[in-house]
Amino acid sequence: MSSPAERYAAARRRAAQASEFPALEEFTLDLGFDLDDFQREACQSLERGSGVLVCAPTGAGKTVVGEFAVHLALRGAPGPGGGAAGPGGGQRKCFYTTPIKALSNQKYHDLVDRYGAEQVGLLTGDNAINGDAPVVVMTTEVLRNMLYAGSATLEGLAYVVMDEVHYLADRFRGGVWEEVIIHLPASVTLVSLSATVSNAEEFADWLVTVRGETAVVVSEHRPVPLWQHMLVGKRMFDLFHDADAARKHDVHPELLRYTRDTMRRLELGEGRSAGPGGGRRGPRWRGPMRPDIVERLDREGLLPAILFIFSRAGCDAAVQQCLAAGLRLTSPEERAEIRRVVESRVTAIPGEDLSVLGYWEWLDGLERGLAAHHAGMLPAFKEVVEELFVRGLVKAVFATETLALGINMPARCVVLERLVKYNGEAHVDLTPGEYTQLTGRAGRRGIDVEGHAVVVWSPETDPRHVAGLASTRTYPLRSSFRPSYNMAVNLVGSVGAEPARALLESSFAQFQADRSVVGLARQVQRNTETIEAYGAEAACHHGDFDEYFALRVAIADRERALARQGQTQRKAAAVASLERLRVGDVIRVPSGRRAGLAVVLDPATGGFGEPRPLVLTQDRWAGRVSPSDFTTPAEVLARIRVPKHFNHRSPAARRDLAAAVSGTGLDRHAGRRGGRSRQPVGEDHRLSQLRSELRRHPCHACPDREEHARWAERRRRLERDTEELRQRVSGRTGSLARTFDRIVALLTARGYLTADGEVTDAGRMLGRIWTEADLLVAECLRRGVWDGLSPAELAAAVSVVVFEARRDVDERASLPRGPVSDAVDETLKLWSDIEADEAARGLAVTREPDLGFAWPIYRWARGEALAKVLASGHEIDGEMPAGDFVRWARQVVDLLGQLADSGGASADLRSTARQAIAAVNRGVLAYHAAA
């Protein structure tokens, strides 16, 4: 118990804070819990009028700071600098931005519960609810588009909360965050909420340069402690003995001992499974089965749990394995509630579609407390899984890493089956940042005393590597910002070309590039000092050693040039000799594994590239030889008859013809050994002259000549490296502005901008196209590529510019014949033209159109059944997953919506686009539009 004096002092402190921060005092009265130190510090900074960057672990309660900004706006508090409370002294506005629609929907419902539906609005690509409300939740792209359009909704805006601001590192969408931060009016206070990043100070330094005063609040503290474990076979071990060991990365000795013993048994063969495969050589390890892991977690009171499996098929298979094992994690009352929730959510989906979507198997899993969660699932199904998991009705979710992206689904325990994931191009190890993000889901604030993260051991998993991942806090924020065509016309249109360049130079991307330049410039300075020191060591009292060393370098360069020249001449002679060969010529292959006599079976002339004649050697090998096998030109030594229909794949035929080659009596290794017709190096006049100058130079007689030469060589190498560094410095300085200049030049050449930097009508149309292939879409509209198509044909034709297959497929996807095929061919021609233009100007090329979604969306827009539509997807592994179909269909609808509103489209095309949207928004898509 504290003393009366301590209690009195604490009361005095609270009273002082309440008088200094009245808005915060009001806000905390309604919260129902005490603020953590980092939350209080950030909120106080906000009330003082400062912007704020909050970096804290997942689940630490960062969003409280964002909600306080909402409270300040609704309270009508004075803005930064103590100004008036907004137009007419009324409420000021707060926009709350999130990276994904699911998060926006979740935040909207949270704020409606607290402040009422009339005070809160929602704007996403799908929904527009009460958009003029004082508090509006929206995706970041919606705010970016508002800023470029100069929307009236921005009037009175005082606060912008950017939730999950670390998304600006996202390769595809990250640039949007920087566009918003740079373009927001100076009067707006920015609240940035981020996961723990290792370069928070650098990010904050940039925010200060573009937004003014910004307080940085970093908290490493997890409100619910996290315990790390490893599951080895059937035994669970703590990864660290205690918190001190965790700080030092010291793995629990018992875990290390047990994994070493297990590895030894595997290497000795004791770990082999008995039965039919038991005799197989080499180590064989079977880790714990997925149903056994779930059962183990249930026994130890560690459910609800998220089990991360980095494969969609793996997640679905895990649920099936648990069902087959007879797992049941729910009570009869919970099962009844699960069925009630599910049935209320899927009423809008037609019955025939439900069976195609595997509804009954999915429901069976849910009723037993088991579910998968991945991007291939129907969004409606995913939302149900999220709701049931948060309510504690679903106990085990098998998920891909997409679940870690902001969705509020905390668990008591997180299990990582592997530490390797497929990133779309290759299988790569998890980074410490990804590991922290995934395991950060463990431990529910206010529910769990502690969270648990379990890594399943396998022979490839070193506990020390896991310890490194668990203890490292390296998750640097790297900008992915780069100028686009749409951005360029919008910037030039709103501020002019020169100010636009200056804006780009103020981006976080350029800030980071310039910071890295500082490090490179320091290295250049250090190298320059070292070069001077090396020069002093190389100095010679006999004469100018630099001049002498330059002669040595010139001699070495000339010798290399002559050797290359000789090589080129020899190769040209070999190629010419191979081109002259005829069937039946006996030649000698001078080098390589096939050296010896050979007879020509097929001269292979007249094609493109180097000649590669098909030959049969004395040793009965038949195959093609190339000019690289000939150090000297191929010389015809004799001729023999080759049967007209000789089959070089027949061993008997090869044997008889090889005997005929040997019968010529030629020696297989004879010939002009070393008789290369190259000019001896010494005969070159320039080389002789250089060598003569070298011998006459005074430094040639110095007894320390070779010592001086070693220092001079070191200096030469360092000078070469320093020059490369200087080029990197000049390449990074102003790199974004240079890219912007190239984009402006291309847009000017194509008529989107005038020569004096004005935006044309075509440019204004391009400025309203929000898609990765913005310029290609604009070109298609200008050339009328999509005019005259039916609604279903239009949906198929525009799909090629938005769709991107998850895996590369070698063969080209088929297309509906007729107008769709013609429109796509025309689109591909335009893309090819743009790509050539981009390559010539040194710009990143627009992605090639992908035809893989044309058939599914065409069939769907024509009203065909979902089963037939999914089966027509151009997928490597069978039919298209329903979640992928819905996601890409929504993107097609989004682009169709832009066409319907585009000033650059004909009236007929706009009308067709609206009809196409109506045709696509049915069945599973209608549910999503309604949601």
Side-chain angles (χ1 to χ4, degrees):
M1 281 291 288
S2 55
S3 69
E6 285 170 336
R7 288 200 296 274
Y8 174 70
R12 287 283 301 269
R13 274 197 307 275
R14 282 197 299 273
Q17 281 188 347
S19 63
E20 191 182 351
F21 302 106
L24 182 56
E25 189 64 21
E26 277 173 29
F27 178 69
T28 49
L29 286 174
D30 296 339
L31 274 183
F33 59 85
D34 289 336
L35 292 180
D36 289 344
D37 290 346
F38 86 91
Q39 294 168 326
R40 184 172 295 281
E41 185 189 341
C43 291
Q44 287 175 352
S45 295
L46 261 184
E47 193 165 355
R48 285 193 199 104
S50 166
V52 66
L53 166 65
V54 183
C55 296
T58 305
K62 297 183 286 288
T63 52
V64 166
V65 184
E67 286 165 11
F68 180 57
V70 171
H71 176 80
L72 286 174
L74 291 177
R75 187 175 184 266
Q91 284 178 338
R92 294 166 73 82
K93 285 183 180 177
C94 177
F95 288 172
Y96 198 114
T97 72
T98 70
I100 47 181
K101 289 170 187 172
L103 260 180
S104 293
N105 294 336
Q106 200 171 53
K107 198 74 231 170
Y108 168 71
H109 291 301
D110 291 349
L111 291 173
V112 164
D113 290 346
R114 178 157 185 174
Y115 297 109
E118 67 286 346
Q119 297 275 47
V120 185
L122 174 69
L123 292 174
T124 66
D126 301 335
N127 284 314
I129 303 168
N130 197 14
D132 293 322
V135 178
V136 186
V137 182
M138 60 184 70
T139 47
T140 317
E141 277 85 353
V142 170
L143 178 54
R144 187 267 315 266
N145 298 356
M146 274 187 190
L147 288 165
Y148 279 144
S151 168
T153 315
L154 296 167
E155 202 176 322
L157 181 62
Y159 297 92
V160 167
V161 179
M162 301 196 83
D163 203 352
E164 310 279 346
V165 77
H166 53 268
Y167 251 78
L168 69 76
D170 183 82
R171 197 155 49 109
F172 302 108
R173 298 171 55 216
V176 178
W177 274 254
E178 286 186 54
E179 286 181 78
V180 168
I181 292 169
I182 292 168
H183 289 106
L184 276 174
S187 59
V188 176
T189 301
L190 187 67
V191 181
S192 307
L193 309 178
S194 169
T196 313
V197 293
S198 53
N199 60 335
E201 288 74 18
E202 180 187 37
F203 184 50
D205 288 348
W206 173 68
L207 285 174
V208 169
T209 63
V210 290
R211 303 294 320 157
E213 189 187 347
T214 304
V216 191
V217 180
V218 178
S219 171
E220 291 279 355
H221 174 69
R222 278 181 54 97
V224 180
L226 178 65
W227 293 95
Q228 309 269 355
H229 313 278
M230 281 199 87
L231 183 62
V232 188
K234 293 187 175 177
R235 289 192 61 180
M236 183 95 79
F237 294 89
D238 289 340
L239 184 59
F240 304 113
H241 184 263
D242 53 28
D244 193 42
R247 275 191 296 276
K248 295 177 184 168
H249 299 205
D250 287 345
V251 178
H252 201 298
E254 200 182 336
L255 168 61
L256 275 179
R257 197 162 44 246
Y258 190 79
T259 51
R260 281 193 196 117
D261 290 348
T262 307
M263 282 298 287
R264 207 171 293 121
R265 283 199 301 276
L266 284 170
E267 282 158 13
L268 293 170
E270 291 175 25
R272 285 189 227 127
S273 60
R280 194 180 303 176
R281 292 179 61 197
R284 181 179 171 83
W285 168 256
R286 282 196 176 163
M289 304 295 282
R290 289 160 178 165
D292 296 342
I293 294 174
V294 175
E295 213 162 17
R296 170 88 185 246
L297 297 176
D298 190 25
R299 269 201 320 274
E300 299 197 8
L302 293 179
L303 295 181
I306 300 170
L307 297 94
F308 283 108
I309 298 170
F310 302 120
S311 141
R312 296 175 178 188
C315 292
D316 294 334
V319 175
Q320 293 307 314
Q321 288 157 11
C322 290
L323 294 179
L327 268 188
R328 192 181 290 281
L329 306 171
T330 50
S331 65
E333 294 76 23
E334 287 173 326
R335 286 198 286 280
E337 177 61 10
I338 287 167
R339 185 172 276 268
R340 189 194 65 72
V341 170
V342 171
E343 287 175 351
S344 70
R345 294 287 183 281
V346 299
T347 47
I349 302 174
E352 66 271 16
D353 288 354
L354 286 177
S355 53
V356 174
L357 296 165
Y359 170 76
W360 300 107
E361 298 87 341
W362 174 68
L363 179 59
D364 184 26
L366 288 177
E367 288 187 339
R368 295 189 192 202
L370 300 157
H373 186 288
H374 56 73
M377 289 170 66
L378 193 69
F381 285 14
K382 272 200 306 186
E383 287 161 22
V384 169
V385 170
E386 288 161 17
E387 182 185 342
L388 294 176
F389 188 78
V390 169
R391 288 179 56 183
L393 295 169
V394 164
K395 319 288 184 182
V397 168
F398 297 93
T400 56
E401 79 274 19
T402 50
L403 182 62
L405 301 178
I407 301 292
N408 185 20
M409 269 181 74
R412 181 167 295 163
C413 178
V414 162
V415 178
L416 297 180
E417 194 175 77
R418 295 177 71 210
L419 297 176
V420 174
K421 67 166 192 170
Y422 187 74
N423 67 357
E425 293 165 3
H427 286 90
V428 294
D429 289 338
L430 285 185
T431 64
E434 288 165 335
Y435 181 89
T436 305
Q437 211 170 11
L438 295 169
T439 55
R441 295 262 155 235
R444 297 163 298 171
R445 190 168 189 173
I447 303 172
D448 300 323
V449 180
E450 56 194 27
H452 298 268
V454 179
V455 174
V456 180
W457 183 84
S458 69
E460 303 83 48
T461 313
D462 184 346
R464 284 164 301 200
H465 173 59
V466 181
L469 287 175
S471 316
T472 309
R473 289 284 172 267
T474 50
Y475 179 50
L477 206 51
R478 292 273 167 263
S479 172
S480 59
F481 180 80
R482 61 179 190 274
S484 67
Y485 298 113
N486 164 288
M487 188 195 299
V489 291
N490 278 310
L491 279 174
V492 171
S494 56
V495 298
E498 273 311 307
R501 285 179 99 251
L503 271 175
L504 287 175
E505 301 233 279
S506 67
S507 68
F508 187 44
Q510 193 61 56
F511 185 82
Q512 286 192 312
D514 291 345
R515 280 249 169 135
S516 68
V517 162
V518 172
L520 291 175
R522 282 201 193 114
Q523 186 62 47
V524 167
Q525 183 58 38
R526 281 196 296 270
N527 286 5
T528 307
E529 289 165 10
T530 311
I531 286 165
E532 286 172 14
Y534 286 174
E537 292 290 344
C540 176
H541 64 283
H542 283 267
D544 184 348
F545 199 84
D546 287 352
E547 190 178 80
Y548 177 74
F549 188 71
L551 285 170
R552 285 177 67 139
V553 170
I555 289 168
D557 289 346
R558 184 66 182 164
E559 283 175 344
R560 270 196 298 274
L562 288 171
R564 274 198 301 273
Q565 192 180 323
Q567 234 174 347
T568 308
Q569 287 170 352
R570 283 196 301 280
K571 187 171 181 182
V575 167
S577 66
L578 291 182
E579 283 172 342
R580 289 194 294 270
L581 295 178
R582 293 176 298 159
V583 176
D585 284 350
V586 177
I587 58 172
R588 185 178 287 107
V589 181
S591 61
R593 283 162 53 213
R594 309 299 172 196
L597 297 175
V599 60
V600 178
L601 305 177
D602 171 21
T605 54
F608 294 103
E610 295 180 336
R612 296 184 69 238
L614 178 67
V615 300
L616 174 73
T617 66
Q618 258 177 305
D619 303 324
R620 305 180 193 174
W621 174 82
R624 296 199 177 274
V625 289
S626 70
S628 58
D629 294 314
F630 291 83
T631 48
T632 57
E635 190 180 342
V636 179
L637 306 172
R639 283 186 60 74
I640 60 173
R641 185 181 161 278
V642 177
K644 193 167 185 183
H645 299 294
F646 180 78
N647 178 9
H648 68 274
R649 290 191 174 85
S650 159
R654 285 206 305 269
R655 184 189 61 226
D656 294 346
L657 193 58
V661 172
S662 300
T664 58
L666 295 164
D667 182 352
R668 64 186 295 163
H669 294 302
R672 298 175 300 154
R673 284 177 181 268
R676 294 179 177 176
S677 59
R678 71 172 183 181
Q679 179 192 30
V681 167
E683 285 182 21
D684 178 69
H685 175 68
R686 175 70 186 135
L687 191 59
S688 304
Q689 193 180 1
L690 287 168
R691 283 182 171 155
S692 173
E693 284 179 40
L694 184 80
R695 284 191 292 271
R696 288 199 307 271
H697 198 282
C699 291
H700 194 63
C702 177
D704 298 324
R705 181 184 73 199
E706 292 311 310
E707 181 64 19
H708 294 324
R710 275 194 288 277
W711 285 109
E713 176 59 28
R714 283 176 195 157
R715 184 177 68 170
R716 188 171 77 96
R717 282 189 196 145
L718 194 56
E719 282 172 341
R720 194 172 56 213
D721 293 346
T722 306
E723 187 50 42
E724 278 178 22
L725 284 176
R726 285 198 179 101
Q727 284 171 2
R728 280 166 66 190
V729 167
S730 64
R732 290 185 190 185
T733 309
S735 51
L736 281 177
R738 277 200 299 279
T739 303
F740 177 73
D741 291 342
R742 289 171 193 157
I743 286 174
V744 166
L746 186 148
L747 291 173
T748 305
R750 287 179 171 267
Y752 293 93
L753 297 170
T754 64
D756 38 351
E758 296 295 316
V759 180
T760 64
D761 288 343
R764 278 185 278 281
M765 171 193 70
L766 173 59
R768 293 291 161 267
I769 295 169
W770 312 100
T771 179
E772 209 184 330
D774 44 13
L775 182 59
L776 180 56
V777 171
E779 289 287 298
C780 287
L781 284 173
R782 288 174 79 190
R783 309 290 171 90
V785 169
W786 297 324
D787 290 346
L789 298 176
S790 71
E793 288 166 348
L794 179 61
V798 303
S799 76
V800 304
V801 297
V802 295
F803 178 71
E804 186 174 7
R806 288 180 69 226
R807 302 274 197 280
D808 285 337
V809 183
D810 288 339
E811 72 272 14
R812 174 175 153 157
S814 62
L815 290 166
R817 285 189 186 153
V820 175
S821 188
D822 295 343
V824 170
D825 283 346
E826 196 59 38
T827 304
L828 286 167
K829 279 182 200 156
L830 287 174
W831 169 77
S832 183
D833 186 28
I834 291 169
E835 184 207 29
D837 209 347
E838 288 167 330
R841 294 174 192 273
L843 289 167
V845 296
T846 300
R847 182 173 56 79
E848 184 177 1
D850 192 321
L851 283 46
F853 195 57
W855 264 118
I857 196 69
Y858 177 70
R859 287 188 158 151
W860 182 254
R862 286 180 54 182
E864 295 188 27
L866 183 63
K868 199 169 177 185
V869 168
L870 297 181
S872 63
H874 189 61
E875 299 282 309
I876 294 174
D877 43 5
E879 64 179 37
M880 175 172 262
D884 288 348
F885 171 71
V886 169
R887 187 169 73 256
W888 290 115
R890 279 168 54 207
Q891 293 210 24
V892 169
V893 165
D894 181 62
L895 182 52
L896 288 169
Q898 293 178 43
L899 299 186
D901 297 336
S902 172
S906 65
D908 283 349
L909 179 60
R910 292 202 297 273
S911 168
T912 307
R914 282 189 280 274
Q915 292 169 46
I917 292 169
V920 172
N921 277 336
R922 66 180 182 87
V924 290
L925 266 298
Y927 163 83
H928 204 80

